[in-house]
Amino acid sequence: MARNLTTPGGKILLLLDEKNTELTVTEIVEIMKKNTSATTITNWLRELEKLGLIEVREERTPVGTRKKLVGLTEKGKLAAEYLRRIIGVIQQ
């Protein structure tokens, strides 16, 4: 089955690119959660990971809990750059 980058997925890529750092899944949900459920956002993240555009890794906090960190892969950085170019052309 072919997978495609969706508009919400593109927004997540641009968000990660703009922040230029890893974000937790919770942070992404808080930023993106305008009329969108956390479950839907998590599904978008899974799809981006399947496409090889983001990497999700788990890290333990000092108090022993776990958090998931999301960052762009090289492929994801290239995709975000490409999206910014497209947006620039459209806005001209």
Side-chain angles (χ1 to χ4, degrees):
M1 179 172 133
R3 291 188 167 86
N4 297 308
L5 180 62
T6 61
T7 299
K11 288 179 180 180
I12 292 170
L13 289 182
L14 292 173
L15 170 67
L16 289 167
D17 186 57
E18 179 184 307
K19 298 294 184 183
N20 198 29
T21 188
E22 291 179 315
L23 295 175
T24 65
V25 171
T26 303
E27 290 170 323
I28 293 169
V29 167
E30 287 172 2
I31 293 167
M32 301 282 300
K33 198 176 175 179
K34 295 177 184 164
N35 303 320
T36 307
S37 72
T39 302
T40 300
I41 294 168
T42 301
N43 288 337
W44 292 333
L45 291 171
R46 282 191 192 115
E47 196 60 30
L48 290 172
E49 188 174 25
K50 286 178 188 173
L51 290 168
L53 299 171
I54 64 168
E55 180 178 59
V56 180
R57 64 183 183 86
E58 209 168 80
E59 186 176 271
R60 286 216 176 262
T61 65
V63 293
T65 59
R66 290 182 238 169
K67 64 180 177 180
K68 289 187 177 184
L69 293 168
V70 180
L72 292 174
T73 61
E74 287 304 313
K75 183 178 176 182
K77 290 175 186 176
L78 289 172
E81 181 183 329
Y82 185 68
L83 286 171
R84 288 198 188 285
R85 287 184 190 172
I86 291 170
I87 291 167
V89 169
I90 292 169
Q91 291 177 341
Q92 288 181 356

